[in-house]
Amino acid sequence: MAQVFHRSINWVAKFSIIAILGLVGGLFSVLLNINRLDYVSGVGVARDQPVPFSHKHHVTGMGLDCRYCHTSVETSAFAGIPPVETCMTCHSLIWTEAPLLEPVRAAFRDDVPLQWTRVHDLPDFVYFKHNIHVSKGIGCTTCHGAVDQMPLMKKAETLNMEWCLSCHRNPAQFIRPRDRVFDVNWTPPADQELRGQQLVKDYNVRVSQLTDCSVCHL
Amino acid sequence: MNRALMHVIQLMVLCGALLVSGCDLRQRMYDQPKYEAHEATTFFDNGLTSRGPIEGTIARGQLRLDAHLFTGKVNGELATVLPPSIPFGKDLLERGHERFDIYCSPCHGRTGEGNGMIVQRGLKQPPSFHEARLREAAIGHYFEVMTNGFGAMYSYASRVPVEDRWAIAAYVRALQFSQRADFDKLPAQDQGQLP
């Protein structure tokens, strides 16, 4: 039987071995890194909302505390999305004619909840609890970024598991005094690592257990 | 050779199908057939997943018999003292201070003079807590206003729990006192601070 391929074509066989290895490797690195892309994780993307609510205006401009609206953040897993009654506490008297606020007034009038688009949505197999984080000295801005500077709400972090673990492995780098948890202007001091280790001790954070599967995936 | 090629192609198709079904399974695990807090539903008419209590029913542990504690009134009159179940102390005032700054100061201001940021931006100015009328008002009055609202002010009952409302009422008293403290009763250290 005659040779099908000429001998000068042999490089194709050698090259294809490398090419297949490269292709498989490339495919793996794409699969491994795809969740790190802002396009996939939604970092920095402002979603469409029924009302273009500005945290910047309400927090920086008006000086409202996070808890004025997110009332259940200290006591429950869910921080709480305020009912329109909370909006109307002021907006029944201020900006009463503003067309932008018509959905709020309509919701209040007709007793139909506003349907906000969720910005921070964890997978359903993750059981995140706001109350424990807040009570152990993890501040709002550590995970949510500079919300006080956001005219429209955006995710500041990927909320990927590797991101959660980066803190669960070493919370000392982010933990702050309890009375600064809701302080949007808090920045880590120069000796954060040292102070953080002390706070981890003071607040009885058991770091060795923080990476147990069952801590987040009950 | 053709058969070998066919096997390879079959294997690739199978792998591809597995990968794609993996994406679908992953998506179904991310968004499981259960409701998260505030998630919308088509199951109930009003679109809410949470059900309110049926009218005329009281959940276990939520019977509110203690009128003093829950309404701020004793025998129909505004209470002049804290309910017995709210122990007075530094902790209560500190809690009240914190909660006052969160929920009240936007309008009433941190000192209770009624010049909070929202007022500066056009909301109707509330009366100062340092007026004679409000200084003399019973403590139950503050609890009652927080619970049921007053004039332009909405009720804060759904936002501030009962114990915190009493803590705030106690702190309002402390604020009032702070503006009219007796100089002779101040600690020497504070006396030295005044001109």
Side-chain angles (χ1 to χ4, degrees):
Chain A
M1 188 176 157
Q3 290 266 349
V4 178
F5 297 110
H6 190 263
R7 174 189 261 265
S8 63
I9 300 297
N10 278 358
W11 69 272
V12 173
K14 288 173 191 155
F15 178 76
S16 63
I17 293 173
I18 300 166
I20 286 172
L21 281 178
L23 202 71
V24 171
L27 194 70
F28 262 109
S29 63
V30 166
L31 285 176
L32 286 174
N33 285 302
I34 201 160
N35 281 336
R36 293 185 177 134
L37 296 177
D38 287 355
Y39 176 76
V40 177
S41 64
V43 168
V45 180
R47 313 254 168 203
D48 275 342
Q49 301 287 5
V51 181
F53 177 84
S54 167
H55 277 89
K56 183 178 178 180
H57 168 72
H58 288 86
V59 177
T60 304
M62 302 292 105
L64 292 182
D65 189 281
C66 310
R67 292 164 286 184
Y68 187 87
C69 301
H70 304 291
T71 53
S72 58
V73 69
E74 291 169 296
T75 50
S76 93
F78 191 57
I81 297 294
V84 282
E85 187 191 341
T86 301
C87 314
M88 293 300 280
T89 303
C90 297
H91 289 294
S92 60
L93 294 154
I94 293 182
W95 293 92
T96 50
E97 305 290 324
L100 277 177
L101 292 175
E102 179 51 28
V104 177
R105 291 190 293 270
F108 191 65
R109 215 168 33 232
D110 307 336
D111 198 20
V112 180
L114 267 182
Q115 296 209 12
W116 299 97
T117 307
R118 199 157 181 182
V119 176
H120 295 84
D121 193 11
L122 288 169
D124 283 2
F125 47 81
V126 180
Y127 296 85
F128 177 84
K129 291 181 171 59
H130 274 97
N131 48 357
I132 188 69
H133 287 86
V134 164
S135 69
K136 295 287 182 182
I138 299 302
C140 309
T141 55
T142 300
C143 303
H144 293 290
V147 172
D148 59 309
Q149 300 300 325
M150 293 181 193
L152 292 174
M153 191 61 201
K154 294 168 186 169
K155 248 161 87 167
E157 302 288 347
T158 60
L159 310 191
N160 286 343
M161 183 165 156
E162 68 173 357
W163 171 81
C164 299
L165 285 175
S166 70
C167 183
H168 273 219
R169 290 194 175 113
N170 180 16
Q173 30 175 350
F174 300 110
I175 197 166
R176 54 174 103 169
R178 273 195 191 114
D179 59 349
R180 306 294 299 276
V181 163
F182 297 94
D183 183 349
V184 289
N185 297 316
W186 184 86
T187 46
D191 54 346
Q192 169 63 23
E193 197 67 31
L194 213 67
R195 288 184 194 218
Q197 277 163 9
Q198 188 56 43
L199 289 173
V200 164
K201 229 175 271 163
D202 292 350
Y203 296 164
N204 201 17
V205 180
R206 279 163 288 179
V207 181
S208 62
Q209 293 178 7
L210 281 187
T211 47
D212 289 358
C213 308
S214 61
V215 165
C216 311
H217 307 289
L218 304 179
Chain B
M1 187 208 132
N2 271 347
R3 268 184 78 168
L5 194 68
M6 281 297 284
H7 278 148
V8 170
I9 291 172
Q10 278 172 356
L11 199 68
M12 280 171 73
V13 169
L14 195 70
C15 286
L18 268 177
L19 261 177
V20 172
S21 72
C23 287
D24 178 51
L25 279 177
R26 198 181 103 126
Q27 202 49 52
R28 279 191 285 172
M29 281 176 72
Y30 269 52
D31 195 12
Q32 295 166 16
K34 66 175 182 185
Y35 290 115
E36 296 173 279
H38 290 200
E39 197 167 324
T41 180
T42 49
F43 190 78
F44 295 111
D45 281 343
N46 64 359
L48 298 175
T49 40
S50 309
R51 304 283 84 199
I54 297 164
E55 214 173 314
T57 62
I58 294 166
R60 180 176 284 263
Q62 290 185 8
L63 184 59
R64 301 189 148 189
L65 285 178
D66 187 343
H68 189 172
L69 180 64
F70 293 110
T71 66
K73 288 179 180 168
V74 180
N75 301 325
E77 296 283 314
L78 289 170
T80 51
V81 290
L82 289 171
S85 57
I86 306 284
F88 179 77
K90 200 177 168 204
D91 289 349
L92 187 78
L93 288 181
E94 276 172 356
R95 177 78 181 172
H97 184 180
E98 185 191 56
R99 299 293 126 173
F100 181 90
D101 285 353
I102 298 170
Y103 295 103
C104 315
S105 74
C107 292
H108 290 282
R110 298 224 165 185
T111 55
E113 283 172 85
N115 57 353
M117 181 57 91
I118 310 297
V119 172
Q120 293 172 36
R121 296 300 183 94
L123 201 90
K124 188 169 173 274
Q125 179 161 17
S128 163
F129 290 142
H130 309 297
E131 294 182 352
R133 175 179 69 86
L134 286 175
R135 276 206 321 275
E136 281 151 26
I139 194 166
H141 169 72
Y142 297 97
F143 181 88
E144 207 267 337
V145 168
M146 283 181 254
T147 306
N148 300 320
F150 188 89
M153 175 178 155
Y154 276 32
S155 159
Y156 277 73
S158 63
R159 292 172 252 183
V160 185
V162 169
E163 289 76 12
D164 284 347
R165 272 176 260 155
W166 281 111
I168 291 172
Y171 179 69
V172 169
R173 272 281 179 269
L175 270 182
Q176 290 169 334
F177 183 71
S178 76
Q179 301 296 307
R180 307 180 66 79
D182 199 342
F183 183 78
D184 298 333
K185 285 184 185 162
L186 287 177
Q189 180 198 349
D190 289 341
Q191 282 184 351
Q193 303 256 329
L194 290 171

